[in-house]
Amino acid sequence: MMSDETGQMLVVYDDPSDHRSLSLDDTSSAEESPDETRLSLETANDTIPYIGQRFSTHDAAYEFYSEFAKQCGFSIRRHRTEGKDGVGKGLTRRYFVCHRAGNTPIKTSNESKPQRNRKSSRCGCQAYMRISKTTELGGQEWRVTGFANHHNHELLEPNQVRFLPAYRTISESDKSRLLMFAKTGISVQQMMRLMELEKCVEPGYLPFTEKDVRNLLQSFRKLDPEEESIDLLRMCRNIREKDPNFKFEYTVDSNNRLENIAWSYASSIQAYDIFGDAVVFDTTHRLTAFDMPLGIWVGMNNYGMPCFFGCVLLREENLRSFSWALKVIE
């Protein structure tokens, strides 16, 4: 829930000259008065939006309001704009609203098409922040001209708000890792566990969920539908071109086919240098698709959390393969 300091700000700030501005459908363009701006500047802090607050771009205002919303227990979305870039004065005003603002229109039933029976999260919430573009001394900036933090729904706890779609993100580096794991044939659950080990976070505390990973893999297959499996060796080479600190080793059989392959990212190599005094080589995981054991090197950091060092895929479970795997981590 919100802190007492944030809770004290659950009031509406708006232009005194624009009494209709609480409505998200308002199209008025009046600015706040100097007295109201001065009062807001004196009573606001750096984490709560206030009338007269300035931003260099509307994207910067959005990021600020988004972070405020995350701390309070909700997320935001872009709502309505006034003006258009390249036309007249250009874009002059933007509204950012709570993700539960508005109401979902009733869909007309169509018996020939199956309907998705999913309840909408929108409930007509009126929380919003409005910004307007101003020009002073030849420069342009965006100023907060309306703000309301009244919600007609419960706000989420910090451990819940991170599951909102707006805050679930997969970075480009994480996408690369997940796609690489997918090419090895491991399950999504195993991917999540490996990522948790690598980032030293507790289960369930990654910035994305299993559903997000499945959607990512599905979109990847759509881009390349004819390729069911990944050339893992080629992918490792591509990653090392982008990150010279990425390390991988492999062996090929007499027919020049990939036999064993091990890989480790720069962060894992650094962790091994620091916490590699004791290493566990876990081979309990197995790839059902290829009937191959997946070996994982794991250690423990100084906080008592598992620490991920690297992975290896072995074509055969024999003394030669395990000996190679244990030596390659050195």
Side-chain angles (χ1 to χ4, degrees):
M1 295 298 290
M2 294 175 295
S3 65
D4 292 339
E5 181 183 14
T6 306
Q8 294 173 0
M9 298 299 292
L10 291 180
V11 294
V12 175
Y13 296 97
D14 212 350
D15 294 346
S17 59
D18 185 1
H19 298 295
R20 297 176 299 161
S21 56
L22 280 181
S23 171
L24 298 182
D25 296 325
D26 173 45
T27 58
S28 174
S29 61
E31 296 299 323
E32 76 282 355
S33 69
D35 291 339
E36 180 70 14
T37 301
R38 190 180 304 111
L39 177 62
S40 299
L41 291 172
E42 290 172 355
T43 58
N45 59 32
D46 292 335
T47 61
I48 302 173
Y50 57 88
I51 297 297
Q53 187 174 10
R54 293 178 169 86
F55 298 96
S56 57
T57 65
H58 55 79
D59 287 332
Y62 177 86
E63 293 299 327
F64 177 86
Y65 188 33
S66 178
E67 185 60 31
F68 167 78
K70 187 175 183 181
Q71 297 300 320
C72 289
F74 67 103
S75 65
I76 65 171
R77 58 184 171 85
R78 293 176 173 85
H79 179 53
R80 188 168 54 80
T81 62
E82 294 180 19
K84 186 177 180 180
D85 287 331
V87 179
K89 295 182 179 180
L91 187 63
T92 58
R93 179 177 285 185
R94 298 210 66 155
Y95 286 81
F96 306 130
V97 299
C98 173
H99 71 290
R100 302 194 67 176
N103 294 284
T104 303
I106 300 176
K107 295 182 179 179
T108 57
S109 60
N110 188 340
E111 296 181 356
S112 63
K113 293 183 179 180
Q115 298 294 320
R116 297 179 64 184
N117 187 22
R118 186 175 64 180
K119 185 178 179 181
S120 173
S121 64
R122 299 190 180 186
C123 60
C125 181
Q126 289 289 306
Y128 79 105
M129 185 176 83
R130 184 184 66 218
I131 58 174
S132 300
K133 184 170 65 176
T134 62
T135 302
E136 293 183 1
L137 300 177
Q140 292 183 349
E141 64 180 9
W142 291 84
R143 184 178 300 174
V144 176
T145 57
F147 170 62
N149 203 31
H150 283 151
H151 298 265
N152 62 351
H153 56 90
E154 291 186 2
L155 299 178
L156 300 178
E157 298 287 348
N159 63 338
Q160 297 173 320
V161 70
R162 60 192 179 88
F163 291 114
L164 290 174
Y167 304 125
R168 298 200 320 251
T169 58
I170 305 179
S171 66
E172 290 302 319
S173 60
D174 286 345
K175 287 181 181 179
S176 176
R177 284 165 166 76
L178 291 168
L179 292 176
M180 185 174 182
F181 290 150
K183 296 302 184 178
T184 66
I186 67 177
S187 68
V188 173
Q189 289 182 335
Q190 290 173 324
M191 294 182 202
M192 297 292 286
R193 183 56 181 153
L194 288 174
M195 296 294 287
E196 289 165 352
L197 287 171
E198 182 177 345
K199 295 179 180 294
C200 293
V201 300
E202 296 181 7
Y205 276 79
L206 288 172
F208 48 84
T209 64
E210 287 189 17
K211 181 180 179 181
D212 298 324
V213 175
R214 296 182 193 280
N215 290 339
L216 172 69
L217 299 180
Q218 185 64 30
S219 65
F220 180 78
R221 294 189 184 100
K222 289 180 180 178
L223 292 176
D224 196 3
E226 295 182 358
E227 186 177 22
E228 294 295 332
S229 62
I230 292 178
D231 184 345
L232 187 57
L233 184 58
R234 182 188 64 197
M235 193 168 189
C236 286
R237 288 168 175 161
N238 291 339
I239 293 175
R240 191 165 64 179
E241 286 181 3
K242 299 177 181 178
D243 181 9
N245 294 319
F246 174 79
K247 179 182 178 182
F248 75 98
E249 301 286 345
Y250 66 96
T251 62
V252 295
D253 60 18
S254 57
N255 295 319
N256 203 34
R257 296 183 305 174
L258 184 64
E259 186 178 34
N260 307 309
I261 184 167
W263 68 91
S264 186
Y265 290 88
S267 58
S268 299
I269 296 173
Q270 184 180 16
Y272 177 76
D273 291 338
I274 301 173
F275 308 114
D277 295 333
V279 180
V280 175
F281 185 49
D282 181 4
T283 58
T284 58
H285 301 282
R286 192 173 190 86
L287 304 187
T288 305
F290 301 111
D291 193 28
M292 294 174 63
L294 171 69
I296 305 173
W297 292 289
V298 186
M300 196 76 70
N301 64 17
N302 54 358
Y303 294 102
M305 295 289 293
C307 204
F308 173 75
F309 297 144
C311 282
V312 62
L313 277 174
L314 305 173
R315 185 169 296 279
E316 300 290 342
E317 293 183 84
N318 53 37
L319 179 61
R320 176 174 169 270
S321 295
F322 282 118
S323 177
W324 176 85
L326 293 173
K327 289 179 181 179
V328 77
I329 190 64
E330 297 177 357

